[in-house]
Amino acid sequence: MTSTASQKTTKRAHNFNAGPAVMPQPVLEQVQSELLDYGGRGMSVMEMSHRSKEFEDILNRAESDLRTLLDLPDTYSVLFLQGGAHLQFSMLPMNLLPASASADYILTGAWSQVAIREAEKVGRVRIAASTSGSNFDHVPAQADLPLDPNAAYLHFTSNETIHGVEFPIEPQPPAGVPLVCDASSDILSRPIDATKYGLIYAGAQKNLGPAGVTLVIVRNDLLERVPQKLPVMLDYKLMAQNHSLYNTPPTFAIYIVGLVLRWLIGIGGLTEIARRNGAKAKLVYDRIDSSGGFYRGHARPDSRSRMNVTFRLPGEDLEKQFVKQSEAEGFIGLKGHRSVGGLRASLYNALPLESVEALAQFMAEFQRRNG
Ligand code: PMP
């Protein structure tokens, strides 16, 4: 691939990285064009005060674009924090899990496992359902969720980045139990009804922008639960009251997230990105399904991730060859996570269809040569 206009010689990889991941090219081009002089100010956004009018506008616009995309009402706060999704694994129970209560977690893969392990260090956790018995190849159906009606919240991981399973629709908590979601790897990939959620968190480095900023969307009534005297950087209420500006936020990362949100709105919002993501995922899954068993998808069809397609080949040697040959042909990031092996193609929002078409073609040729 080559980019347009000023950078005709720039060669872009087919980037299937799981995160940090491919960015929308128009966003990178805009960052480049504004790097030395943002809006005639004679400086880069990274050189500006976080208390400046310019940065305040950037932050406000990012928040309002996010609200537009998700149709998010004023009863929710939007926070731009640091520490990645990992910090949210701890910060969430520190804020919303009182000592008198227990929280329900749905265990569907490597990331919900870490979320549980971290929450257990803070408070009482109950694993409401687990798919570990089938090596995390699906998400449980609502009927298979014996949920605690008194839980402080119900936590789920909408997309398991490592195992490649995704909830087709969010689980329904018992009445009055807030639904909490780690949406790090499928946020803004399709329309959702945000009002079903008490809290959503996501590291930025897959669908939102660069690493270094973490998005938290929280329903305001839950902020009343925040205990007194939490360390300031771990206090949702304080961060909300200060509009993510209690201390110096990751200004440059927030600016880029803002550009990504603008790009998403510009291409037609979540309905259009969902259409594109569906078409991309279908190309790869169709190739797997029509391979006569040469490629074997890890996830059950009803739980397949549209963001991370995980699959195996008939042997580890072939898998190694697949990775090596794909790299030689310009594909990056197809090796599966070290904890599960195999292959993984991450198809985030910004990945162009052409990269996926090229992958599907490579898969067909690789099978023809080795099948
Ligand atoms: N949750 C999910 C679903 C993830 O994919 C990741 C990162 N791959 C994390 C949490 C951890 O994110 P971070 O590295 O930002 O802490």
Coordinates of all heavy atoms in Angstrom, one line a residue, residues 179-234:
L179 N -23.9 -3.2 35.2 CA -23.1 -4.0 34.2 C -21.8 -3.3 34.0 O -21.8 -2.1 33.6 CB -23.9 -4.2 32.9 CG -23.3 -5.1 31.9 CD1 -23.1 -6.5 32.4 CD2 -24.1 -5.0 30.6
V180 N -20.7 -4.0 34.1 CA -19.4 -3.4 33.9 C -18.6 -4.1 32.8 O -18.6 -5.4 32.8 CB -18.5 -3.4 35.2 CG1 -17.1 -2.9 35.0 CG2 -19.2 -2.5 36.3
C181 N -18.0 -3.4 31.9 CA -17.4 -4.1 30.8 C -16.0 -3.6 30.5 O -15.7 -2.4 30.4 CB -18.3 -3.8 29.5 SG -17.7 -4.5 28.0
D182 N -15.1 -4.6 30.4 CA -13.8 -4.3 29.8 C -14.0 -4.4 28.3 O -14.1 -5.5 27.7 CB -12.8 -5.3 30.3 CG -11.4 -5.2 29.6 OD1 -11.3 -4.2 28.7 OD2 -10.5 -6.0 29.9
A183 N -14.0 -3.3 27.6 CA -14.2 -3.2 26.2 C -13.0 -2.8 25.4 O -13.0 -2.3 24.3 CB -15.4 -2.2 25.8
S184 N -11.8 -3.2 26.0 CA -10.5 -2.7 25.5 C -10.4 -3.0 24.0 O -9.8 -2.2 23.2 CB -9.4 -3.3 26.2 OG -9.3 -2.8 27.5
S185 N -10.8 -4.2 23.6 CA -10.5 -4.6 22.2 C -11.7 -4.7 21.3 O -11.5 -5.1 20.2 CB -9.8 -6.0 22.2 OG -10.5 -6.9 22.9
D186 N -12.8 -4.2 21.7 CA -13.9 -4.0 20.7 C -14.7 -2.7 20.9 O -15.8 -2.6 20.3 CB -14.8 -5.2 20.6 CG -15.7 -5.5 21.8 OD1 -15.5 -4.8 22.8 OD2 -16.6 -6.3 21.7
I187 N -14.2 -1.8 21.7 CA -14.9 -0.5 21.9 C -15.1 0.2 20.5 O -14.2 0.2 19.7 CB -14.2 0.4 22.9 CG1 -15.1 1.5 23.3 CG2 -12.8 0.9 22.4 CD1 -15.0 2.0 24.7
L188 N -16.3 0.7 20.4 CA -16.6 1.5 19.2 C -16.5 0.7 17.9 O -16.3 1.3 16.8 CB -15.8 2.8 19.1 CG -15.9 3.8 20.2 CD1 -15.1 5.1 20.0 CD2 -17.4 4.2 20.5
S189 N -16.6 -0.6 18.0 CA -16.6 -1.4 16.8 C -18.0 -1.7 16.2 O -18.1 -2.3 15.1 CB -15.9 -2.7 17.1 OG -16.6 -3.5 17.9
R190 N -19.0 -1.3 17.0 CA -20.4 -1.6 16.6 C -21.3 -0.8 17.5 O -20.8 -0.3 18.6 CB -20.7 -3.1 16.7 CG -20.6 -3.6 18.2 CD -20.8 -5.1 18.3 NE -20.5 -5.5 19.7 CZ -20.5 -6.8 20.1 NH1 -20.8 -7.7 19.2 NH2 -20.1 -7.1 21.3
P191 N -22.5 -0.5 17.1 CA -23.4 0.2 18.0 C -23.7 -0.6 19.2 O -23.9 -1.8 19.2 CB -24.7 0.4 17.2 CG -24.3 0.1 15.7 CD -23.2 -0.9 15.8
I192 N -23.8 0.1 20.4 CA -24.3 -0.6 21.6 C -25.3 0.4 22.3 O -25.3 1.5 22.0 CB -23.1 -0.9 22.6 CG1 -22.4 0.4 23.0 CG2 -22.2 -2.0 22.1 CD1 -21.6 0.2 24.3
D193 N -26.1 -0.2 23.2 CA -26.9 0.7 24.0 C -26.2 1.0 25.2 O -26.2 0.2 26.2 CB -28.3 -0.1 24.3 CG -29.2 0.8 25.1 OD1 -28.8 1.9 25.6 OD2 -30.3 0.3 25.4
A194 N -25.5 2.1 25.3 CA -24.6 2.5 26.4 C -25.4 2.5 27.7 O -24.8 2.4 28.8 CB -23.9 3.8 26.1
T195 N -26.7 2.8 27.6 CA -27.5 3.0 28.8 C -27.7 1.7 29.6 O -28.2 1.7 30.7 CB -28.8 3.7 28.6 OG1 -29.6 2.8 27.7 CG2 -28.6 5.0 27.9
K196 N -27.3 0.6 28.9 CA -27.4 -0.7 29.7 C -26.2 -0.9 30.6 O -26.2 -1.8 31.4 CB -27.4 -1.9 28.7 CG -28.6 -2.1 27.9 CD -28.5 -3.3 27.0 CE -29.7 -3.6 26.2 NZ -29.4 -4.6 25.2
Y197 N -25.2 0.0 30.5 CA -24.0 -0.2 31.3 C -23.9 0.7 32.4 O -24.3 1.9 32.4 CB -22.8 0.0 30.3 CG -22.6 -1.0 29.2 CD1 -23.5 -0.9 28.1 CD2 -21.7 -2.0 29.3 CE1 -23.3 -1.8 27.0 CE2 -21.5 -2.9 28.2 CZ -22.4 -2.8 27.1 OH -22.2 -3.7 26.1
G198 N -23.3 0.2 33.5 CA -22.9 1.1 34.6 C -21.6 1.7 34.4 O -21.3 2.9 34.7
L199 N -20.6 0.9 33.8 CA -19.3 1.4 33.6 C -18.6 0.6 32.4 O -18.8 -0.6 32.3 CB -18.4 1.3 34.8 CG -17.0 1.9 34.8 CD1 -16.7 2.4 36.2 CD2 -16.0 0.9 34.4
I200 N -18.0 1.3 31.6 CA -17.2 0.7 30.5 C -15.8 1.3 30.5 O -15.6 2.5 30.7 CB -17.8 1.1 29.1 CG1 -19.3 0.7 29.0 CG2 -17.0 0.5 27.9 CD1 -20.0 1.2 27.7
Y201 N -14.8 0.4 30.4 CA -13.4 0.9 30.4 C -12.7 0.2 29.2 O -13.0 -0.9 28.7 CB -12.7 0.6 31.7 CG -12.5 -0.8 32.1 CD1 -11.3 -1.5 31.7 CD2 -13.4 -1.4 32.9 CE1 -11.1 -2.8 32.2 CE2 -13.2 -2.7 33.4 CZ -12.1 -3.4 33.0 OH -11.9 -4.7 33.4
A202 N -11.7 1.0 28.7 CA -10.9 0.5 27.5 C -9.6 1.2 27.4 O -9.5 2.4 27.5 CB -11.7 0.7 26.3
G203 N -8.5 0.4 27.3 CA -7.2 1.0 26.9 C -7.4 1.4 25.5 O -8.1 0.9 24.7
A204 N -6.7 2.5 25.1 CA -6.9 3.1 23.8 C -6.3 2.4 22.7 O -6.7 2.5 21.5 CB -6.4 4.5 23.8
Q205 N -5.3 1.5 22.9 CA -4.3 1.2 21.9 C -4.8 0.1 20.9 O -4.0 -0.4 20.1 CB -3.0 0.7 22.5 CG -3.1 -0.6 23.4 CD -3.5 -0.3 24.8 OE1 -4.0 0.7 25.2 NE2 -3.2 -1.2 25.7
K206 N -6.1 -0.1 20.8 CA -6.6 -1.0 19.7 C -7.6 -0.2 18.8 O -7.2 0.1 17.7 CB -7.3 -2.2 20.3 CG -6.3 -3.1 21.1 CD -7.0 -3.6 22.3 CE -6.1 -4.3 23.3 NZ -4.8 -4.9 23.0
N207 N -8.7 0.2 19.3 CA -9.7 0.9 18.5 C -9.7 2.4 18.7 O -10.4 3.1 18.0 CB -11.1 0.4 18.7 CG -11.4 -0.8 17.7 OD1 -10.7 -0.9 16.7 ND2 -12.4 -1.5 18.0
L208 N -9.0 3.0 19.7 CA -9.2 4.4 20.0 C -8.1 5.3 19.7 O -8.2 6.5 19.5 CB -9.5 4.5 21.5 CG -10.8 4.0 22.0 CD1 -10.8 4.1 23.6 CD2 -12.0 4.7 21.4
G209 N -6.8 4.7 19.7 CA -5.7 5.6 19.5 C -4.4 5.0 20.0 O -4.3 3.8 20.0
P210 N -3.5 5.9 20.4 CA -2.2 5.3 20.9 C -2.3 4.8 22.4 O -3.2 5.2 23.1 CB -1.3 6.5 20.8 CG -2.2 7.7 20.9 CD -3.5 7.3 20.4
A211 N -1.4 4.0 22.8 CA -1.3 3.6 24.2 C -1.0 4.8 25.0 O -0.5 5.8 24.5 CB -0.1 2.6 24.3
G212 N -1.4 4.7 26.3 CA -1.1 5.8 27.2 C -2.3 6.5 27.7 O -2.2 7.3 28.7
V213 N -3.5 6.3 27.1 CA -4.7 6.8 27.7 C -5.7 5.7 27.8 O -5.8 4.8 27.0 CB -5.2 8.0 26.9 CG1 -5.5 7.7 25.4 CG2 -6.5 8.7 27.5
T214 N -6.5 5.8 28.9 CA -7.5 4.8 29.1 C -8.9 5.5 29.3 O -9.0 6.4 30.0 CB -7.2 4.0 30.4 OG1 -5.9 3.6 30.4 CG2 -8.1 2.8 30.6
L215 N -9.8 5.0 28.5 CA -11.2 5.6 28.6 C -12.0 4.9 29.6 O -12.1 3.7 29.7 CB -11.8 5.4 27.2 CG -13.3 5.9 27.1 CD1 -13.3 7.4 27.2 CD2 -13.9 5.5 25.7
V216 N -12.7 5.7 30.5 CA -13.7 5.1 31.4 C -15.0 5.9 31.2 O -15.0 7.2 31.3 CB -13.2 5.2 32.9 CG1 -14.3 4.8 33.8 CG2 -11.9 4.4 33.1
I217 N -16.0 5.2 31.0 CA -17.4 5.8 31.0 C -18.1 5.3 32.2 O -18.3 4.1 32.3 CB -18.1 5.4 29.7 CG1 -17.3 5.9 28.4 CG2 -19.5 5.9 29.6 CD1 -17.7 5.2 27.1
V218 N -18.6 6.2 33.0 CA -19.2 5.7 34.3 C -20.5 6.5 34.5 O -20.6 7.7 34.3 CB -18.2 5.8 35.4 CG1 -17.7 7.3 35.6 CG2 -18.9 5.4 36.7
R219 N -21.5 5.7 34.9 CA -22.8 6.3 35.3 C -22.7 7.1 36.6 O -22.2 6.5 37.5 CB -23.9 5.2 35.4 CG -25.3 5.6 35.0 CD -26.3 4.5 35.0 NE -26.4 4.0 36.3 CZ -26.5 2.6 36.6 NH1 -26.6 1.8 35.6 NH2 -26.6 2.2 37.9
N220 N -23.2 8.3 36.5 CA -22.9 9.2 37.6 C -23.3 8.7 39.0 O -22.7 9.0 40.0 CB -23.4 10.6 37.4 CG -22.7 11.3 36.2 OD1 -21.5 11.0 36.0 ND2 -23.4 12.1 35.5
D221 N -24.5 8.0 39.1 CA -24.9 7.6 40.4 C -23.9 6.7 41.1 O -23.9 6.6 42.3 CB -26.3 6.9 40.3 CG -26.3 5.7 39.4 OD1 -26.3 5.8 38.2 OD2 -26.3 4.6 40.0
L222 N -23.1 5.9 40.2 CA -22.2 5.0 40.8 C -21.0 5.7 41.5 O -20.4 5.2 42.4 CB -21.6 4.1 39.8 CG -22.6 3.1 39.1 CD1 -22.0 2.3 38.0 CD2 -23.2 2.2 40.2
L223 N -20.8 7.0 41.2 CA -19.8 7.8 41.8 C -20.0 8.0 43.3 O -19.1 8.3 44.1 CB -19.6 9.1 41.1 CG -19.1 9.0 39.6 CD1 -19.1 10.3 38.9 CD2 -17.8 8.3 39.5
E224 N -21.3 7.9 43.6 CA -21.7 8.1 45.0 C -21.1 7.0 45.9 O -21.0 7.1 47.1 CB -23.2 8.2 45.2 CG -23.8 9.4 44.5 CD -23.0 10.7 44.7 OE1 -22.7 10.9 45.9 OE2 -22.7 11.4 43.7
R225 N -20.8 5.8 45.3 CA -20.2 4.7 46.0 C -18.7 4.9 46.3 O -18.2 4.1 47.1 CB -20.3 3.4 45.2 CG -21.7 2.8 45.0 CD -21.4 1.4 44.5 NE -22.6 0.9 43.9 CZ -22.6 -0.3 43.3 NH1 -21.5 -1.0 43.3 NH2 -23.7 -0.7 42.7
V226 N -18.1 5.8 45.7 CA -16.6 5.9 45.8 C -16.3 6.2 47.2 O -16.7 7.2 47.8 CB -16.1 7.0 44.8 CG1 -14.6 7.2 45.0 CG2 -16.4 6.6 43.4
P227 N -15.4 5.3 47.9 CA -15.1 5.6 49.3 C -14.2 6.8 49.4 O -13.6 7.3 48.5 CB -14.3 4.3 49.7 CG -14.0 3.6 48.4 CD -14.8 4.2 47.3
Q228 N -14.3 7.4 50.6 CA -13.4 8.5 51.0 C -12.0 8.1 51.0 O -11.7 6.9 51.3 CB -13.8 9.0 52.4 CG -15.2 9.4 52.6 CD -15.5 10.7 51.9 OE1 -14.7 11.6 52.0 NE2 -16.7 10.8 51.3
K229 N -11.1 9.0 50.8 CA -9.7 8.8 51.0 C -9.0 7.8 50.1 O -8.0 7.2 50.5 CB -9.4 8.5 52.5 CG -9.8 9.6 53.4 CD -9.0 9.5 54.7 CE -9.4 10.7 55.6 NZ -9.4 10.4 57.0
L230 N -9.5 7.6 48.9 CA -8.8 6.8 48.0 C -7.6 7.7 47.5 O -7.7 8.9 47.5 CB -9.6 6.5 46.8 CG -10.5 5.3 46.8 CD1 -11.3 5.2 45.5 CD2 -9.8 4.0 47.1
P231 N -6.5 7.1 47.2 CA -5.4 7.9 46.6 C -6.0 8.7 45.4 O -6.8 8.1 44.6 CB -4.4 6.8 46.1 CG -4.6 5.7 47.0 CD -6.1 5.7 47.3
V232 N -5.5 9.9 45.2 CA -6.2 10.7 44.2 C -6.3 10.1 42.8 O -7.3 10.2 42.1 CB -5.6 12.2 44.1 CG1 -5.9 12.9 45.4 CG2 -4.1 12.1 43.8
M233 N -5.2 9.5 42.4 CA -5.1 8.9 41.0 C -6.0 7.7 40.8 O -6.2 7.2 39.7 CB -3.7 8.6 40.6 CG -2.8 9.8 40.5 SD -3.4 11.1 39.4 CE -3.3 10.2 37.8
L234 N -6.6 7.2 41.9 CA -7.4 6.0 41.9 C -8.9 6.3 42.2 O -9.7 5.4 42.4 CB -6.9 5.0 42.9 CG -5.5 4.6 42.7 CD1 -5.1 3.6 43.8 CD2 -5.2 3.9 41.4

